[in-house]
């Protein structure tokens, strides 16, 4: 490229060009200092940039923004400048990235012309073109929706299904549809796990749960609250004439990046109106290793022994949103689909899996966890996954399945691994049956990661030293995020799972059968090698994982 030529040669060409009337580009090509293609690319870029000093001053057509999805642009560091004929000009820091160029060409149908930009200019450009656009698009959509209120039948307009969020809306699309599409798009691209729409006295509040923390993103005027909520209800196949009783539903959309995203929806009536909660279920890789999930090397061997046992109950515990389903699905992915019969009972079936028989619970026809579990024992299964043990009946059926030679995987909501034993006993299972069937319990949590873009190290404060149980004067370096655009000024970006694995032993069986306390059982389990969640957190804070200090 021209910018890589020695300055003295460039000056020589400029001097030779003066007074000749020839174009300076021709002289560079003639002396083999630049190829004709590079010269053509530079002229195209010059035509697009004009006299603009920075990327933020460039006006990019909305259709061009729709051609290159925001998620693709951010992941691959691509800025679309414009198109001339069948050529699409993009800015990249690595123009030799053939894979990205080919993908972009297939995605847009244009011949892609890359122009070299620094990483910093790419970052600034992406922030300007996509993040600021996202911030204003919802407000613009709200304004159009409010303006159209009363001029069209919003309920009828809402009956149109979403199929492809990346498709361009026609002029006839209702503003309510546009607003809902915008909310869904923003939630997908920001890595949201849940969307909360909550009726307040004077507005509808929209919040996203990102990295485990709810963040307010939007206030929808009260005048269009019902239309927005109705749109979500129609998408979820709910009864829009029934607003008082709780309802559940689900729907799927195709994101701008081409991924199929499932939404699980729950609606309930509150004092000021409706509250809807949408859980985003993204495509899951069933072939992820335990290490990719966050297991320590020492814990990988322990958990694999539990999964390879011919029978018994393996429980994954933790609060809602702690990653239990991810662990269970990854566990199923480790099973041999050719030599083992694997059956699941779920409510709902979150991720369709090849080679596995998945059953959807349906209370209307009395197909509960317990009744389904008793029935599938006659289906000759090797491994059974029960979405959740909720009551005595399901617990009793799971114990029976384990005692008759099946491996049962399931979840419970308990604070730690040892308390799971007490919870099963409280549900009516005799201690001797719990100790003889439960082979292991995995308790887990998700911690927020400190943002790597704005991370700074510092020495632990006296309060932090006390919390970590450190001696006075013992050095301890921690990390925190100062806040940046990448993490939306929160200081955190992403999550990390930590695990506590309880392995049943003869000694622990004796303690459980004798009715010993949780504290006694915990002490023995720790002596036999169990690392508690608090120990893992403390250990990470002291160095091995010092960049995820918020639980």
């Amino acid at each position: 490229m021209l910018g890589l030529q020695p300055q003295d040669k460039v000056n020589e060409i400029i001097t030779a060009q003066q007074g000749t009337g020839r174009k300076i580009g021709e002289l560079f090509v003639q002396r083999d200092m630049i190829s004709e293609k590079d010269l053509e690319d530079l002229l195209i870029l010059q035509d697009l940039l004009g006299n603009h000093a920075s990327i933020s001053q460039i006006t990019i057509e909305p259709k061009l923004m729709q051609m290159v999805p925001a998620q693709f642009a951010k992941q691959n560091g691509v800025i679309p400048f414009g198109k001339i004929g069948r050529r699409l000009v993009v800015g990249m820091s690595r123009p030799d990235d053939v894979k990205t160029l080919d993908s972009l060409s297939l995605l847009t149908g244009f011949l892609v012309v890359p122009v070299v930009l620094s990483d910093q200019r790419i970052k600034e450009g992406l922030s300007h073109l996509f993040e600021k656009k996202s911030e204003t698009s919802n407000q613009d959509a709200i304004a159009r929706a409010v303006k159209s209120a009363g001029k069209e039948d919003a309920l009828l307009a809402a009956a149109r299904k979403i199929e492809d969020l990346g498709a361009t809306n026609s002029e006839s699309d209702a503003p309510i549809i546009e607003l809902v599409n915008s909310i869904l798009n923003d939630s997908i691209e920001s890595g949201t796990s849940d969307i909360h729409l909550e009726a307040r006295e004077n507005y509808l509040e929209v919040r996203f749960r990102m990295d485990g923390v709810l963040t307010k993103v939007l206030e929808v005027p009260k005048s269009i609250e019902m239309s927005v909520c109705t749109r979500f209800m129609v998408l979820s196949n709910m009864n829009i004439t029934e607003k008082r009783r709780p309802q559940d539903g689900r729907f799927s959309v195709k994101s701008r990046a081409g991924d199929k995203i499932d939404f699980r929806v729950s609606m309930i009536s509150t004092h000021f109106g409706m509250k809807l909660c949408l859980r985003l279920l993204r495509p899951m890789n069933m072939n992820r290793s335990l290490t990719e999930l966050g297991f320590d090397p020492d814990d990988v061997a322990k958990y694999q022994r539990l999964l390879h046992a011919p029978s018994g109950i393996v429980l994954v515990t933790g609060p809602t949103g702690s990653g239990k389903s991810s662990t269970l699905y990854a566990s199923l992915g480790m099973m041999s689909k050719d030599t083992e019969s694997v059956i699941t009972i779920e409510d709902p079936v979150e991720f369709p899996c090849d080679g596995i028989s998945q059953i959807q619970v349906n209370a209307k026809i009395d197909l509960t966890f317990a009744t389904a579990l008793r029935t599938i024992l006659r289906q000759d299964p090797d491994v059974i996954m029960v979405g959740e043990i909720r009551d005595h009946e399901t617990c009793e059926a799971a114990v029976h399945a384990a005692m008759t030679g099946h491996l049962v995987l399931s979840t419970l909501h308990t604070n730690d691994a040892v308390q799971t034993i007490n919870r099963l006993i409280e549900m009516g299972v005799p201690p001797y049956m719990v100790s003889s069937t439960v082979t292991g319990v995995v308790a887990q949590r998700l911690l927020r990661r400190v943002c790597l873009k704005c991370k700074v190290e510092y020495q632990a404060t006296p309060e932090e030293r006390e919390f970590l149980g450190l001696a006075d004067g013992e050095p301890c370096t921690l990390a925190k995020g100062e806040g940046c655009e990448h993490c939306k000024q929160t200081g955190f970006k992403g999550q990390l799972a930590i695990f506590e694995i309880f392995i049943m032993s003869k000694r622990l069986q004796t303690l459980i059968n004798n009715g010993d306390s949780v504290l006694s059982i915990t002490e023995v389990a720790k002596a036999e090698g169990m690392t508690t969640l608090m120990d893992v957190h403390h250990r990470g804070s002291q160095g091995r994982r010092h960049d995820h200090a918020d639980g």
Side-chain angles (χ1 to χ4, degrees), residues 301 303-311 314 334-335 340 407:
Y303 191 57
Q304 284 180 332
R305 285 201 303 270
L306 294 176
L307 296 181
H308 293 155
S311 63
V314 179
M334 299 171 63
M335 305 295 175
E340 293 179 306
L407 178 62

Side-chain angles (χ1 to χ4, degrees), residues 62 174 211 322 335 401:
D211 297 334
S322 60
M335 305 295 175

